[in-house]
Amino acid sequence: MTTFETVIGLEVHAQLKTNTKIFCGCSTEFGKPPNTNTCEVCLGLPGVLPVLNRKAVEFAIKAGLATHCTIARKSVFARKNYFYPDLPKGYQISQYELPLCSKGYLDIEVEGQKKRVGLTRIHMEEDAGKLVHDLGASDVSHVDLNRACTPLIEIVSEPDMRGPKEASAYLKRLRDILVYLEICDGNMEEGSFRCDANVSIRPLGQKEFGTRCELKNMNSFRNVERAIEYEVKRQEALILDGKKVVQETRLWNADKGVSESMRSKEEANDYRYFPDPDLLPLIVEEAWVERLRKEQPELAFEKAERFARDYAIPAYDAEVLTAEKSVAQHWEAAVKLAAGIEPKKLSNLYMTHLLKLQKDVPETFERIKSATVAEVLKMTEAGDISLGMAKEILDEVAASGKAVADIVEAKGMKQVSDTGAIEAVVDKVLADNPKNLADYRSGKDKLFGFFVGQTMKALGGKANPKVVNDILIQKLKG
Ligand code: ADP
Ligand code: MG
Ligand code: ZN
């Protein structure tokens, strides 16, 4: 039986987070009433001229630099001609022969295996509008052009991936980069980060690629994996059945768990690209690229590597802590403010408590300041409060925004570390339980826990466990 190898190349469209559109001054704000974020330019009225948004170019260059691309000194905008009701000009302004960025790469890791995936190109283009169906009358569709002319970058990979896991690892790494650069919000469900997957298979050892199909309409990492797994099985079945894979575009149907043919190669558009005569070639000065290179922020995986190295926390912790940039910054600030406390203790608190709390209270990391985390942990280290109390205090800060001191005061949370007070209670516990005391002294070591429990209970659970233990050890010796 033939063993097949899967070959995958991905095309990603990422919406750039500029305030205004790529060729006009209209706002890109999401969720406005239909067709209110529009003007003559993005409505495609005759006689208007596009003006390129400098910020959008800057964002695209940042993406190129972070993925090790060559930034072209000169690139060209082209018209991609096709008809569709959400495209008022009858063409999309994109880049074709001379893209802004080319020949980059991205490093991924799957199950401990490192791998480099080549990037063919990153080019700039405008988004189209949106068709709105099902607004009452079933025989009518509406057009909303608020999204028309929103800046996008298209990131095209080389056919370097060899399985669904590699594809999703690539997508995650790419999304992390764009989000950390603060140039894209990375939201797959809302479509600001969308992916088309080109998939083919070939007998293992064969050099030539097989015929590929392009999969569209996958709005989560999970669905990208599922769609590719399905496609690989479909192509294998065809070939083993003596049939041929035909090049086509297929739509993933997540509810049914299948893909359906959308159009074949013969039905594909001939876009008749040509340079847009309304736009001058884009000239990028070296000095601009150099300035942006210097300004590049630390990326998620770089931060994770540094956290693991400099703070001696496990790689897994570092990855979890850096998944969201604001959380990573929050944690690192807390580590610095809690000087002297092991970073691993802070990592534990974030991983086992604060990140969970954030799921219930999204404002957790705004309401609880890094300084608050440091303050509470210092109290724990000093034995003033228990770790349980520390968590309770943080919950309360997240819920009410109250100051730590006020919460401690109101809840009477101060942990008893006063040796005299604890000694008195221990004496009483021993006096009240003569039988257990005698049993303990004759060798029933297990009763130690009983005495700890009784002492803690008598002190309302607020005693410092270490002090209680020390005193009990002393007193039980007799
Ligand atoms: P198009 O513009 O028609 O989609 P491209 O040549 O730009 O075609 O390729 C698009 C994507 O398809 C790229 O990401 C590329 O890596 C990938 N690709 C090309 N050939 C194959 C193949 N045989 N199997 C899988 N992916 C492929
Ligand atoms: Mg394509
Ligand atoms: Zn406009």
Side-chain angles (χ1 to χ4, degrees):
M1 180 150 161
T2 327
T3 310
F4 292 101
E5 180 179 50
T6 305
V7 174
I8 304 163
L10 299 175
E11 294 166 273
V12 170
H13 285 90
Q15 205 176 87
L16 298 176
K17 268 197 334 188
T18 52
N19 296 325
T20 56
K21 295 185 177 181
I22 184 170
F23 297 122
C24 64
C26 289
S27 165
T28 52
E29 199 179 331
F30 189 78
K32 288 275 146 168
N35 298 304
T36 51
N37 285 349
T38 54
C39 70
E40 297 84 339
V41 174
C42 52
L43 290 173
L45 300 190
V48 297
L49 287 172
V51 177
L52 181 58
N53 181 340
R54 186 180 173 88
K55 198 84 193 167
V57 178
E58 187 156 311
F59 283 6
I61 295 174
K62 284 184 176 191
L65 289 174
T67 49
H68 314 276
C69 284
T70 305
I71 313 297
R73 285 291 316 276
K74 176 183 168 184
S75 60
V76 168
F77 285 95
R79 290 187 182 180
K80 178 176 178 179
N81 299 283
Y82 65 93
F83 173 77
Y84 205 67
D86 65 6
L87 188 74
K89 294 194 292 289
Y91 60 84
Q92 177 194 25
I93 305 179
S94 181
Q95 295 189 309
Y96 188 55
E97 275 163 326
L98 292 172
L100 179 59
C101 316
S102 56
K103 295 196 176 66
Y105 65 84
L106 227 161
D107 290 327
I108 59 168
E109 194 175 319
V110 176
E111 285 151 12
Q113 290 282 100
K114 287 193 176 30
K115 163 151 195 177
R116 180 159 290 183
V117 177
L119 289 192
T120 316
R121 58 192 274 150
I122 302 179
H123 67 248
M124 301 183 69
E125 60 186 28
E126 58 179 344
D127 208 345
K130 244 187 199 157
L131 291 189
V132 186
H133 312 287
D134 310 325
L135 269 190
S138 60
D139 54 348
V140 175
S141 287
H142 301 254
V143 187
D144 177 7
L145 294 174
N146 281 351
R147 205 183 64 183
C149 222
T150 297
L152 302 178
I153 46 177
E154 178 172 342
I155 303 145
V156 183
S157 87
E158 291 288 304
D160 284 349
M161 286 153 279
R162 293 290 172 269
K165 289 258 170 345
E166 289 188 10
S168 66
Y170 167 89
L171 284 175
K172 279 185 192 143
R173 175 55 66 90
L174 182 59
R175 190 182 70 164
D176 277 354
I177 290 175
L178 303 184
V179 171
Y180 258 70
L181 290 171
E182 293 175 18
I183 63 174
C184 171
D185 66 26
N187 193 325
M188 281 182 101
E189 287 79 24
E190 283 174 16
S192 41
F193 185 87
R194 342 190 251 269
C195 154
D196 301 338
N198 294 271
V199 180
S200 66
I201 59 170
R202 61 181 171 187
L204 197 64
Q206 177 182 304
K207 240 181 129 216
E208 299 77 38
F209 288 143
T211 306
R212 71 181 148 116
C213 287
E214 182 168 341
L215 306 173
K216 285 186 182 290
N217 202 35
M218 302 150 300
N219 63 355
S220 68
F221 293 121
R222 182 72 202 110
N223 274 316
V224 170
E225 284 189 22
R226 286 174 69 207
I228 295 174
E229 281 162 13
Y230 176 86
E231 182 59 17
V232 169
K233 287 212 186 85
R234 192 187 69 86
Q235 293 185 12
E236 278 182 6
L238 276 175
I239 293 173
L240 293 174
D241 203 23
K243 298 186 182 130
K244 281 208 161 79
V245 175
V246 286
Q247 190 172 338
E248 61 181 356
T249 304
R250 301 179 65 85
L251 277 189
W252 173 247
N253 183 328
D255 295 332
K256 290 193 197 153
V258 300
S259 63
E260 288 147 359
S261 178
M262 185 175 128
R263 59 167 178 257
S264 71
K265 198 186 175 191
E266 285 71 43
E267 300 160 66
N269 292 299
D270 177 355
Y271 296 118
R272 297 179 186 267
Y273 283 96
F274 65 88
D276 192 312
D278 287 342
L279 285 158
L280 291 168
L282 169 58
I283 305 296
V284 175
E285 302 290 347
E286 198 53 42
W288 191 18
V289 177
E290 279 319 303
R291 178 171 67 74
L292 293 175
R293 201 189 295 278
K294 284 203 197 86
E295 285 173 15
Q296 285 290 79
E298 184 178 43
L299 300 173
F301 69 95
E302 293 168 339
K303 218 185 249 307
E305 281 170 14
R306 183 171 61 80
F307 279 9
R309 187 181 63 233
D310 292 1
Y311 299 117
I313 58 172
Y316 175 75
D317 291 32
E319 204 176 302
V320 173
L321 290 168
T322 52
E324 213 180 308
K325 190 176 186 175
S326 57
V327 173
Q329 288 168 336
H330 194 281
W331 181 82
E332 188 167 29
V335 169
K336 289 190 172 140
L337 289 163
I341 298 178
E342 273 171 57
K344 177 63 182 150
K345 286 193 175 152
L346 282 112
S347 159
N348 289 345
L349 183 64
Y350 277 67
M351 307 228 311
T352 62
H353 198 70
L354 294 179
L355 284 167
K356 293 209 174 86
L357 185 59
Q358 188 195 24
K359 295 210 171 87
D360 297 327
V361 188
E363 307 84 3
T364 292
F365 291 102
E366 283 99 68
R367 297 207 183 137
I368 302 176
K369 304 274 177 269
S370 300
T372 312
V373 177
E375 179 186 358
V376 170
L377 266 188
K378 277 182 185 164
M379 290 164 72
T380 313
E381 286 290 295
D384 294 340
I385 56 172
S386 66
L387 191 58
M389 288 175 188
K391 290 177 181 174
E392 214 179 300
I393 293 170
L394 292 173
D395 288 351
E396 182 75 31
V397 175
S400 69
K402 283 192 200 137
V404 174
D406 294 344
I407 297 169
V408 170
E409 180 75 36
K411 296 208 168 186
M413 268 177 167
K414 262 228 151 334
Q415 183 166 266
V416 182
S417 296
D418 169 7
T419 350
I422 296 176
E423 261 181 51
V425 171
V426 169
D427 285 340
K428 184 163 183 315
V429 167
L430 299 189
D432 289 352
N433 297 282
K435 169 126 193 356
N436 280 345
L437 180 59
D439 287 351
Y440 177 86
R441 286 187 174 149
S442 60
K444 269 197 158 182
D445 290 351
K446 276 192 194 144
L447 282 167
F448 189 75
F450 164 80
F451 292 112
V452 173
Q454 290 299 306
T455 309
M456 285 305 246
K457 198 169 147 200
L459 286 160
K462 287 175 195 157
N464 181 331
K466 171 140 193 351
V467 180
V468 170
N469 269 11
D470 290 350
I471 292 173
L472 267 173
I473 289 167
Q474 276 305 317
K475 301 250 170 189
L476 283 168
K477 276 189 200 152

